[in-house]
Amino acid sequence: MAVALSGGGDSIALLHVAAGWARENGRRLLALTVDHGLSPDSAAWTAFAGQAARDAGADWRGLHWTGPKPSTGLPAAARRARHALIADAAREAGARVILLAHTADDIAEGEVMRDAGSTLGRLRDWGPSPAWPEGRGLMLLRPMLDAGRSELRDWLAARGAAWIDDPANDDPEYARSRARSSLLPVGEGGPKGRMRGDRLSGEAAPGQPTLTLSRKDDGFAAVRSSPLPSGEGSFDVDRGIDARTLAIALVCAGGADRPPRGDRLDRLVARTRSGEAFAATLCGARIEADGDRVLITREPGELTRRPPPPQALTPGVEAVWDGRWAVTTDQPGWSVVPAAGRMAALPDADRAVLKALPSAARASEPVLIRNEIAAPVLARTAARARSLVEERLALALDRMTHERDLGAVFHGETLRNPLFST
């Protein structure tokens, strides 16, 4: 498993706790530190974090956010870059779970920021990586949300452990710092040298301890996969669907990197619940309501109006196309494009596959081309192509509560996962 390590007090405390748990359970721990390049001291902080990880017995890797930095929205941009870098490194190392050191203070600060108008999401103890597509198949675990920041530092001081205090945390230019200054330390208890039993557990088959978490089936009953045998990426939803579940279904079907919020989502929920027949688009997805059936697919018109350029494939390397499909081929010279405008040129067998899909989903299917002269072929028949949509939905709607569940969704004719039965 991986742990995000900044070198601050919260992450150093999590490093010590996670390293102890990993030793006891025979697990490898990889600490990942992101150097944002925003402070003259960042290189020294990164080196400090690396030494702390090695001293704790963990593997360590330093990551760097390179390129130009935005003049506005810097904290949000840094957060997105950090999640993407950590996700890429975790996947490369074979980790499926990333530990983050958020505390009860972070929860309270987030509430203050939202009251001030921020659209910052709420922290969850267990949820999918927000980086997309870098974070595909990865879960985030925050095992210290019931601990306060001051308690963690008292615990570290008692152990003689050092940590970094970033002056930017007290800079009133940033909303997080202003929220922090308005609050007293919160939370009780603190780490006990192990992960709390309801958050991280080694109860599993001998020799293979794994992470587990209890979770209710919140929202999932409102979303069902298409009953068609080849309907990857299409969902039927209940008329009474709530806003959070609808937003998740839209972002997954549309392949977007962040869910919709605000008035447009609220209006769409109201229309869905009203029972009216309509078609609408949001977040790159299309929602069609007619009678009792409400179908969500990728919005095909977007691919027709603004067709993406061909995405070249490297043999043997998985490429994510349109945020919805992972495509791999062993043959050189292939590129991926949408089926829009090319369906008539497909082989008869491929057109038969498309005919079985909802009509709104056909144009957004991935197609392989070698050049503009050779006939196109469906990616699912000419290469290893798998839909990412179903697993992403399952992760976001809390259907995967244990790390052994990750990657359990199969597609095509191999297996229909019971999570998606109608």
Side-chain angles (χ1 to χ4, degrees):
M1 58 187 180
V3 57
L5 179 66
S6 68
D10 299 345
S11 69
I12 290 291
L14 179 58
L15 170 69
H16 282 272
V17 173
W21 184 90
R23 284 193 299 270
E24 292 173 1
N25 290 278
R27 295 289 294 271
R28 292 186 62 187
L29 180 67
L30 171 66
L32 298 169
T33 302
V34 177
D35 184 344
H36 297 86
L38 300 176
S39 168
D41 296 319
S42 62
W45 294 343
T46 299
F48 170 84
Q51 189 59 53
R54 289 186 287 269
D55 289 344
D59 298 329
W60 178 79
R61 183 177 172 189
L63 310 169
H64 298 271
W65 184 28
T66 58
K69 308 299 190 291
S71 56
T72 59
L74 183 59
R79 183 169 57 252
R80 287 193 295 270
R82 180 168 60 253
H83 275 294
L85 288 167
I86 289 174
D88 271 337
R91 290 183 68 253
E92 182 180 341
R96 304 303 298 272
V97 176
I98 302 170
L99 305 179
L100 299 180
H102 293 107
T103 68
D105 294 79
D106 292 295
I107 294 176
E109 291 160 9
E111 293 296 335
V112 171
M113 294 168 69
R114 279 185 291 275
D115 288 344
S118 171
T119 58
L120 189 71
R122 286 179 168 81
L123 295 177
R124 304 171 62 200
D125 49 9
W126 174 259
S129 168
W132 190 259
E134 298 90 350
R136 58 193 185 277
L138 292 172
M139 295 297 284
L140 305 183
L141 177 64
R142 298 178 175 92
M144 299 198 301
L145 289 181
D146 56 355
R149 192 171 291 131
S150 61
E151 284 78 16
L152 294 180
R153 281 153 179 74
D154 290 344
W155 183 77
L156 286 173
R159 295 170 63 96
W163 65 88
I164 295 166
D165 284 318
D166 184 353
N169 291 333
D170 299 319
D171 189 342
E173 177 184 354
Y174 301 115
R176 171 72 65 177
S177 300
R178 295 194 298 272
R180 183 170 299 182
S181 66
S182 70
L183 293 168
L184 293 174
V186 297
E188 297 180 357
K192 306 300 183 185
R194 61 177 176 83
M195 296 295 184
R196 296 177 64 91
D198 58 342
R199 301 291 173 81
L200 188 58
S201 172
E203 298 177 3
Q208 188 56 42
T210 50
L211 310 184
T212 186
L213 185 75
S214 298
R215 175 68 67 191
K216 296 179 180 178
D217 298 343
D218 181 31
F220 203 89
V223 184
R224 302 174 299 277
S225 68
S226 168
L228 298 172
S230 301
E232 288 95 338
S234 302
F235 304 122
D236 289 312
V237 301
D238 289 344
R239 283 283 190 177
I241 193 170
D242 63 277
R244 174 180 176 266
T245 305
L246 180 59
I248 291 172
L250 289 169
V251 75
C252 291
D257 62 351
R258 62 196 72 177
R261 295 188 178 97
D263 293 342
R264 292 188 65 192
L265 177 62
D266 293 339
R267 288 195 296 269
L268 194 56
V269 171
R271 295 185 72 183
T272 303
R273 292 180 172 180
S274 72
E276 69 170 296
F278 70 92
T281 62
L282 183 61
C283 207
R286 176 182 179 86
I287 179 169
E288 295 182 353
D290 186 12
D292 292 335
R293 189 182 193 194
V294 182
L295 178 68
I296 297 178
T297 65
R298 176 71 163 101
E299 166 51 38
E302 183 176 304
L303 298 173
T304 303
R305 292 187 299 270
R306 293 182 295 274
Q311 181 174 337
L313 297 177
T314 300
V317 177
E318 181 180 88
V320 176
W321 179 78
D322 196 37
R324 301 179 300 119
W325 286 85
V327 183
T328 310
T329 180
D330 296 327
Q331 303 298 320
W334 288 108
S335 295
V336 190
V337 293
R342 299 176 174 87
M343 288 185 281
L346 291 170
D348 291 343
D350 286 356
R351 290 202 302 273
V353 171
L354 287 184
K355 189 175 180 179
L357 300 178
S359 58
R362 296 168 189 169
S364 61
E365 277 282 304
V367 163
L368 298 189
I369 58 172
R370 282 189 184 273
N371 51 57
E372 290 301 329
I373 300 176
V377 290
L378 280 180
R380 66 169 72 201
T381 59
R384 294 186 298 277
R386 60 186 179 93
S387 171
L388 300 172
V389 176
E390 287 78 12
E391 182 181 17
R392 188 183 185 189
L393 182 79
L395 293 175
L397 290 180
D398 305 326
R399 291 299 297 194
M400 295 187 180
T401 62
H402 194 292
E403 67 173 346
R404 65 172 170 243
D405 298 331
L406 299 175
V409 179
F410 296 84
H411 309 283
E413 298 179 354
T414 306
L415 176 67
R416 274 289 160 198
N417 191 286
L419 295 178
F420 298 99
S421 60
T422 56

